[in-house]
Amino acid sequence: MTATRPPVTRFAPSPTGFLHLGHAHAALVAWRTARQGRGRFLLRIEDIDSTRCRPEFTEAILEDLRWLGLDWDGPVRIQSRHMADYRRTLLSLRERGLLFPCFCTRSEIAREIAASASAPHGPDGPLYPGICLRLPPAKVAARLASGEPHALRLNMSRALACLDGPLTFEEATRGRIACNPAQFGDVVLARKEVPASYHLCVTHDDAEDGVTLVTRGEDLLPATDLHRLLQRLMNWPEPRYAHHPLLADAAGRRLSKRDGAPTLRDLSARGASPAEVRALAGFPD
Ligand code: GLU
């Protein structure tokens, strides 16, 4: 039934640099899908990490999208202005015993992993080896009382125990896919330096904004397993997903900032029109 409803899609860039052709492709996928389905297209700026994000890039993103010919519905959601929402979500999980504080430094975790016989990896890197889960409660309480900086991790086994049925998601053109959130282990939901995480904020905001169809690059396909778990734990509605292949250059390498993908600004400075850039991004008029 939901398949016939006008979709609500979104584009959710992080303002860590200027938009490149890969971003233009992702934005156009979401925008076209909404417009063709007479739905809504939302824009969200994922800027919770103040060490990497800059307001001038946010301004540039809005300007570049307008230049490209995209319009969006309603106000832009700027994640950094909604930290209280994420805090509330964390509190709800914490009150149900689904989070635990983690005081570990990166090097403590690396040392523990190096010393252990097996070091399973998940989509975000090596799985947390459970150091702070083994701390006696009195020690945890004392360290919290002393104000020691800590992250908050999801207690994955407790979270999985809350599920009352199989966890799946609906992927456009592929149908229902089974999720395996355990592959993330005790994932961080609030970092020491940023009191939230990508996984937490993205699922919160998709629910808050009524996003019904998440279009995004297929590099984020594994993350969907975890996002579905968070949606189930929080009793948030389930959107549909459409992961698209990432745009590649002529040599077949995927476009990324690191590999010097041309930004929309570079292309415009070289004289490319918005229609030409849309075509380069896979959407000829
Ligand atoms: N902010 C993420 C990125 O720039 C996208 C998140 C998403 O679409 O779920 O890669």
Side-chain angles (χ1 to χ4, degrees):
M1 211 164 70
T2 46
T4 56
R5 278 206 211 131
V8 180
T9 68
R10 48 49 163 202
F11 175 53
S14 300
T16 55
F18 294 119
L19 294 184
H20 59 63
L21 272 181
H23 294 115
H25 179 70
L28 281 159
V29 169
W31 180 79
R32 277 275 177 103
T33 306
R35 294 290 172 256
Q36 283 174 349
R38 298 184 182 286
R40 303 180 71 227
F41 169 67
L42 311 179
L43 179 60
R44 178 164 81 222
I45 300 294
E46 303 211 321
D47 64 340
I48 53 164
D49 186 346
S50 55
T51 61
R52 296 178 59 236
C53 298
R54 291 210 243 124
E56 54 272 33
F57 289 132
T58 297
E59 285 310 311
I61 287 171
L62 305 190
E63 209 175 284
D64 291 356
L65 289 175
R66 284 194 199 102
W67 176 83
L68 195 61
L70 270 63
D71 56 348
W72 48 90
D73 300 304
V76 180
R77 185 176 174 96
I78 310 274
Q79 282 190 330
S80 59
R81 298 188 189 153
H82 296 274
M83 298 310 285
D85 290 356
Y86 310 132
R87 238 186 340 265
R88 264 195 302 277
T89 305
L90 290 165
L91 193 64
S92 155
L93 294 168
R94 202 167 182 171
E95 281 171 352
R96 285 178 276 155
L98 297 175
L99 299 185
F100 66 92
C102 173
F103 306 95
C104 294
T105 60
R106 276 173 204 273
S107 52
E108 277 165 342
I109 295 174
R111 261 201 311 278
E112 176 86 8
I113 289 174
S116 68
S118 76
H121 265 65
D124 291 349
L127 300 196
Y128 180 64
I131 305 166
C132 285
L133 259 186
R134 295 188 290 269
L135 289 175
K139 229 188 186 129
V140 173
R143 289 175 80 168
L144 286 176
S146 76
E148 187 174 338
H150 58 276
L152 292 173
R153 291 180 177 276
L154 184 69
N155 185 322
M156 183 56 78
S157 54
R158 283 197 190 168
L160 293 175
C162 293
L163 295 179
D164 52 5
L167 193 63
T168 61
F169 65 94
E170 179 78 25
E171 174 72 17
T173 76
R174 286 174 58 191
R176 285 251 151 225
I177 296 181
C179 297
N180 174 23
Q183 65 182 314
F184 284 85
D186 298 323
V187 66
V188 169
L189 292 188
R191 292 159 52 188
K192 268 186 196 171
E193 62 287 10
V194 180
S197 75
Y198 158 68
H199 298 300
L200 180 86
C201 301
V202 84
T203 40
H204 173 279
D205 289 354
D206 285 340
E208 174 80 21
D209 290 341
V211 170
T212 60
L213 177 59
V214 174
T215 68
R216 59 184 175 197
E218 64 191 5
D219 53 327
L220 287 168
L221 187 63
T224 303
D225 292 11
L226 176 60
H227 298 176
R228 287 288 300 118
L229 175 63
L230 295 174
Q231 286 157 2
R232 191 72 83 75
L233 294 175
M234 292 305 299
N235 209 11
W236 286 330
E238 176 188 347
R240 289 182 303 126
Y241 290 86
H243 292 88
H244 56 78
L246 297 174
L247 208 62
D249 64 13
R253 281 176 314 220
R254 74 183 233 210
L255 294 181
S256 73
K257 194 170 81 175
R258 208 175 333 136
D259 297 325
T263 66
L264 303 197
R265 287 174 180 231
D266 294 334
L267 294 163
S268 156
R270 283 185 229 150
S273 69
E276 283 163 343
V277 173
R278 288 197 296 273
L280 285 172
F283 286 85
D285 289 344

